[in-house]
Amino acid sequence: MKLSSLIVSNNRKHIVVLIIGLVCILKIALISAANEESQIYTVHLGERQHDDPNLVTDSHHDILGSLLGSKEASRESMIYSYRHGFSGFSAKLTSSQARELSENPHVVHVTRSKNMKLKTTRVSDYLGLTPTAPTGLLHETDMGSEAIIGVLDSGITPGSKSFDDNGLGPIPARWKGRCASGEGFNASSCNRKLIGATYYAKALLIKHNGTFNGTAIDEVLSPLDKVGHGTHCASTAVGSFVQDANFLGLAQGTARGAAPRARLASYKVCWNNEECFTPDILKAMDHAIGDGVDVLSLSLGSEVPLDFEVDRTDFAIAAFHAVRKGIPVVCAGGNDGPQIQSVSNVAPWIITVAATTMDREFFTPITLGNNITILGQEGLYMGKEVGFTDLLYFDDLNKGDLQAGRAKGKIVFFFQTPKFQEDFAEFAQSNGAAGVIIAIQPSDAIEQSIADIACAFVDYELGMDILLYIQTTTSPKAKISPTKTFVGRPSSTKVAKFSSRGPNSISPAILKPDIAAPGSGILAAVPSQGGYDFMSGTSMATPTVSGIVGLLRQKRPDWSPAAIRSALVTTASQTDPFGEPIAAEGSPRKLADPFDYGGGLVNPGKVADPGLVYDMGYGEYVHYLCSAGYDDRSISKLLGKANKCPSPTPSMLDVNLPSITIPYLSEEITITRTVTNVGPVGSVYKAVIQPPQGINVQVSPETLEFSSNTNKTTFTVKISTTHRANTDYLFGSLTWTDNGAHNVRIPLSVRTRVLNFKI
């Protein structure tokens, strides 16, 4: 065979092999695509392009149908169409389909479904929300009778006394929502108090392959609350007056919410106390905006690392659209404290809430054989008193002692450390002990021991006192008495140890949290336990703020959500109602700073008359989005109109927040703020500066004058440092005062970065 013929023959063979290989690859790709598992994705389309919700949904099917090949396929894939507050949809898609859809010019972005986590007789009195006062926010709003508060949580218990509608007038005419029947819940359960109750579970059902029963998930497909979290939060926000509410005899008194005559709309989006999927949350928020709620309250959120507000997350975008429509969104800051940078729900349009203790404490008396009584905290023991009996130290016992029954009938003392986290109360009970005393690190949580023996908790300091008594006494003894309630001033208010802390991990120049409210040991309605129980968390602090915001919306209906947030922050207190400074639990304890509680403890007595507000609207939010580095395309889609960020990029330090946070001060900078007068015409304010240590702060002008023609004024703050080394955050404040009638205070937080270690 000639060489040329051989080459041609070999080339043909190579071509045939190549074609066969390509066919195989194509078949494998097709099989892989066919077998690729579908997941739930949310497609964000920004502002609505049609006023008619049906046209909005049709446009969603057009977009999805063009990808899947038909509208029929689109209907099978789509789970939710978001068409009231914003435009978007959730659908079952493969990852490759999601990638392809993200290239559609109408799409802002596509995100995969995410699971969020759920994050009062005394609270209202503690904060000064006194219903019998002849003046004040409660009196001036008829206790919020025209306010509608939407609570997104684990559902509602309609039969609770906290949702009795006695004395309430007709449901506000603007309400467009509904009550949905379901297992264990009849739509007729709603009344003039509980005016709406719906549930959202499509994403949950898909996650569990369409099964939903009492064996797999201890839940019911209805608005009914099975875990208690939603009922507790709702009653904390809007609970009606209930006489003699208590838990096992503790904290007896009249229970009521922050806005006791406000109306409640319950949206069940969380199931089995741990599953809250973003497509369900989005649909509930979309409905709530269309239903006519005045406030959205969400005691849930994600964990670090957080999602970005525009490019990935679902939650903040829905909140953005609600705020654009004038609906404040109040969210829990999280329970990951006291670690820094742990706060969640950090978008600047969200009101983010931290949790404090208050002036009610629960002590379990421990009396030693020398007649010294130590007060145990953080646990509830409601059994019979365990009289004087032998007190044993766990470390002095060995396995043989326990097997021989030496602990039987005795009280055992134990140090719980990070290395030993077992449930020692159950362990002691299993070995016949009559009681247990556990030395632990403080947590500010109020919980009942699951063991059936007497159980008391002390901190390490008191634990060392008990240990010293044991080691210096021949026959140490102790008794444990049932828990007692102390109300008044047994200890000063603290930011709870569990409350998540700043600074903001996404945008450190945006102060978070914004405000604090009581969230430790809150007594409110639940489905069981006699109707009321204690819970702790920023989840419990959030509805208190939501209730106050509901009152404020009724009192000041023309205020924007940003103006309301400003009023909360600038009137907040840095001391408790008795004038004591607020501390922050952690290691070590310290005085609270803006990263613990934002502006401070919410002060409903002043919030309706702040004097000045730092307002934000469309322009300010665009300023933030541009300063955060989001691209013009994403911002334009989010806003529903073309946007071109200016060049150079605006400074995030100039976002018109009621705070100034500088994470990188190295040389002198000038920051701009604008205030709006919401007080008397002709008001004159002067600046009072408390500069952070080693920081120079100059305000220009130093005096602000407001006439009938001028209700808005801009001022600048020039800030420099005398430090010659990098520092941690230092704190101060800037207050505008009109001779004390109004003190409009914003926190200052500055960290110097004289040396830059970036390469």
Side-chain angles (χ1 to χ4, degrees):
M1 182 180 293
K2 293 183 179 179
L3 180 60
S4 60
S5 298
L6 182 61
I7 292 173
V8 170
S9 177
N10 286 338
N11 284 343
R12 286 174 178 168
K13 290 179 180 179
H14 289 155
I15 291 171
V16 170
V17 171
L18 179 60
I19 291 172
I20 293 173
L22 290 173
V23 169
C24 290
I25 292 172
L26 181 59
K27 285 183 176 180
I28 292 171
L30 290 172
I31 292 171
S32 298
N35 292 333
E36 190 177 356
E37 183 179 355
S38 293
Q39 299 188 58
I40 304 172
Y41 288 85
T42 299
V43 180
H44 290 279
L45 301 169
E47 281 289 323
R48 296 188 308 165
Q49 301 302 311
H50 304 284
D51 291 331
D52 185 343
N54 293 325
L55 293 178
V56 177
T57 298
D58 287 343
S59 69
H60 297 163
H61 283 299
D62 288 339
I63 293 173
L64 188 55
S66 65
L67 172 73
L68 301 180
S70 69
K71 280 197 173 183
E72 182 179 348
S74 170
R75 282 189 286 270
E76 291 178 356
S77 172
M78 190 177 295
I79 299 169
Y80 290 121
S81 173
Y82 309 119
R83 57 186 193 165
H84 298 286
F86 48 94
S87 180
F89 58 87
S90 288
K92 292 178 288 184
L93 301 169
T94 65
S95 59
S96 57
Q97 288 171 336
R99 284 193 300 270
E100 184 177 348
L101 195 57
S102 66
E103 300 300 321
N104 187 301
H106 299 289
V107 172
V108 177
H109 58 85
V110 180
T111 61
R112 197 167 71 179
S113 172
K114 183 176 182 179
N115 185 17
M116 299 291 188
K117 297 292 184 181
L118 288 168
K119 297 277 164 224
T120 86
T121 51
R122 186 63 194 156
V123 173
S124 296
D125 290 339
Y126 171 75
L127 294 176
L129 281 168
T130 307
T132 57
T135 59
L137 196 53
L138 279 177
H139 174 79
E140 294 163 359
T141 61
D142 188 27
M143 304 184 201
S145 62
E146 292 299 308
I148 302 172
I149 298 179
V151 177
L152 277 71
D153 213 288
S154 65
I156 199 69
T157 303
S160 171
K161 294 179 181 178
S162 289
F163 309 122
D164 194 302
D165 66 352
N166 283 341
L168 289 180
I171 295 171
R174 68 185 184 281
W175 173 247
K176 299 177 183 177
R178 66 188 183 95
C179 275
S181 293
E183 186 178 348
F185 189 100
N186 194 300
S188 62
S189 300
C190 288
N191 55 23
R192 290 171 298 173
K193 179 71 171 181
L194 176 60
I195 63 174
T198 50
Y199 63 97
Y200 303 84
K202 289 184 179 180
L204 174 86
L205 292 173
I206 291 172
K207 176 70 175 179
H208 290 279
N209 298 317
T211 62
F212 192 93
N213 55 63
T215 301
I217 305 172
D218 186 21
E219 272 287 5
V220 289
L221 269 177
S222 80
L224 187 66
D225 184 10
K226 294 288 288 183
V227 300
H229 192 276
T231 300
H232 196 282
C233 289
S235 63
T236 301
V238 303
S240 301
F241 290 83
V242 179
Q243 300 292 332
D244 298 323
N246 69 87
F247 173 71
L248 299 179
L250 286 176
Q252 295 187 25
T254 300
R256 66 180 184 275
R261 290 173 64 87
R263 317 308 174 106
L264 170 64
S266 172
Y267 300 86
K268 183 174 179 179
V269 297
C270 295
W271 306 82
N272 208 35
N273 209 26
E274 60 182 11
E275 296 181 297
C276 319
F277 293 105
T278 48
D280 296 332
I281 297 170
L282 274 177
K283 189 58 181 177
M285 295 181 77
D286 182 46
H287 272 164
I289 294 170
D291 289 344
V293 302
D294 295 306
V295 183
L296 278 170
S297 183
L298 296 93
S299 291
L300 49 89
S302 57
E303 299 172 345
V304 175
L306 306 178
D307 287 334
F308 297 102
E309 295 101 338
V310 169
D311 290 337
R312 289 176 57 195
T313 192
D314 295 309
F315 191 86
I317 287 184
F320 176 83
H321 290 290
V323 168
R324 284 283 312 274
K325 289 170 174 59
I327 302 171
V329 180
V330 186
C331 296
N335 302 328
D336 296 317
Q339 287 75 21
I340 65 171
Q341 296 182 330
S342 57
V343 64
S344 62
N345 294 322
V346 297
W349 45 83
I350 289 174
I351 299 171
T352 309
V353 184
T356 70
T357 63
M358 55 180 178
D359 65 340
R360 181 176 63 200
E361 300 270 2
F362 302 97
F363 295 116
T364 304
I366 305 164
T367 305
L368 303 179
N370 56 10
N371 287 323
I372 292 177
T373 297
I374 292 173
L375 297 179
Q377 292 179 262
E378 301 187 22
L380 301 178
Y381 171 57
M382 304 310 301
K384 294 181 180 180
E385 179 176 276
V386 175
F388 280 110
T389 186
D390 290 344
L391 176 62
L392 308 177
Y393 181 40
F394 177 74
D395 283 9
D396 292 338
L397 301 172
N398 56 47
K399 188 175 180 180
D401 291 328
L402 295 172
Q403 291 176 340
R406 188 184 169 194
K408 188 173 182 178
K410 310 297 195 312
I411 295 174
V412 182
F413 173 61
F414 172 76
F415 267 87
Q416 187 169 25
T417 66
K419 293 182 179 179
F420 195 110
Q421 293 291 331
E422 285 82 356
D423 191 324
F424 186 71
E426 286 192 320
F427 173 79
Q429 179 182 345
S430 67
N431 283 277
V436 60
I437 302 170
I438 305 175
I440 61 171
Q441 289 185 335
S443 68
D444 293 319
I446 307 297
E447 297 181 1
Q448 186 178 20
S449 173
I450 61 174
D452 292 328
I453 59 173
C455 186
F457 296 88
V458 297
D459 63 20
Y460 287 164
E461 181 180 343
L462 293 177
M464 291 304 298
D465 291 340
I466 295 173
L467 182 60
L468 179 63
Y469 165 73
I470 292 174
Q471 294 182 343
T472 58
T473 303
T474 303
S475 180
K477 296 184 181 297
K479 73 174 180 178
I480 300 175
S481 302
T483 301
K484 294 178 174 59
T485 306
F486 292 77
V487 175
R489 300 175 61 176
S491 61
S492 63
T493 299
K494 307 183 294 292
V495 176
K497 183 178 179 181
F498 58 74
S499 186
S500 291
R501 309 298 212 267
N504 183 335
S505 62
I506 292 180
S507 301
I510 305 297
L511 178 64
K512 290 292 174 175
D514 294 298
I515 195 70
S520 178
I522 306 302
L523 181 67
V526 293
S528 58
Q529 297 286 358
Y532 291 84
D533 200 353
F534 294 102
M535 291 188 184
S536 297
T538 54
S539 285
M540 283 64 249
T542 298
T544 292
V545 174
S546 300
I548 294 170
V549 170
L551 297 173
L552 195 54
R553 281 219 67 190
Q554 186 173 334
K555 171 75 174 176
R556 305 291 188 191
D558 57 327
W559 284 9
S560 70
I564 289 173
R565 188 258 302 277
S566 174
L568 291 168
V569 173
T570 62
T571 62
S573 177
Q574 294 75 55
T575 61
D576 68 17
F578 305 105
E580 298 293 337
I582 297 175
E585 280 284 12
S587 299
R589 291 183 181 178
K590 62 181 179 64
L591 286 179
D593 61 50
F595 294 146
D596 300 313
Y597 61 11
L601 179 66
V602 65
N603 187 349
K606 293 184 177 181
V607 71
D609 185 24
L612 306 175
V613 295
Y614 293 76
D615 207 354
M616 291 177 66
Y618 176 86
E620 287 78 16
Y621 293 129
V622 172
H623 180 129
Y624 168 75
L625 295 169
C626 290
S627 69
Y630 298 124
D631 62 81
D632 289 328
R633 178 180 175 274
S634 293
I635 296 174
S636 297
K637 293 297 182 183
L638 179 67
L639 300 175
K641 59 176 68 177
N643 178 78
K644 178 70 175 177
C645 288
S647 182
T649 301
S651 171
M652 191 177 293
L653 298 176
D654 290 329
V655 176
N656 202 45
L657 295 169
S659 60
I660 293 176
T661 308
I662 306 174
Y664 45 77
L665 181 67
S666 58
E667 55 187 27
E668 183 179 273
I669 60 175
T670 300
I671 293 171
T672 301
R673 288 290 187 273
T674 299
V675 288
T676 302
N677 182 29
V678 294
V681 174
S683 295
V684 177
Y685 288 84
K686 293 187 177 181
V688 177
I689 302 169
Q690 289 187 322
Q693 183 179 0
I695 304 297
N696 298 318
V697 181
Q698 294 178 289
V699 179
S700 180
E702 295 181 349
T703 301
L704 305 180
E705 298 183 8
F706 297 92
S707 65
S708 58
N709 298 321
T710 306
N711 76 327
K712 188 174 291 190
T713 298
T714 297
F715 64 90
T716 60
V717 184
K718 188 179 293 184
I719 301 178
S720 60
T721 179
T722 61
H723 292 286
R724 293 294 175 263
N726 294 350
T727 69
D728 202 344
Y729 278 97
L730 305 163
F731 304 101
S733 64
L734 165 62
T735 303
W736 291 104
T737 181
D738 58 349
N739 293 324
H742 302 93
N743 294 298
V744 190
R745 179 188 181 277
I746 64 171
L748 305 178
S749 310
V750 181
R751 181 175 62 182
T752 64
R753 279 292 178 263
V754 178
L755 301 176
N756 193 339
F757 295 106
K758 291 183 179 179
I759 298 176

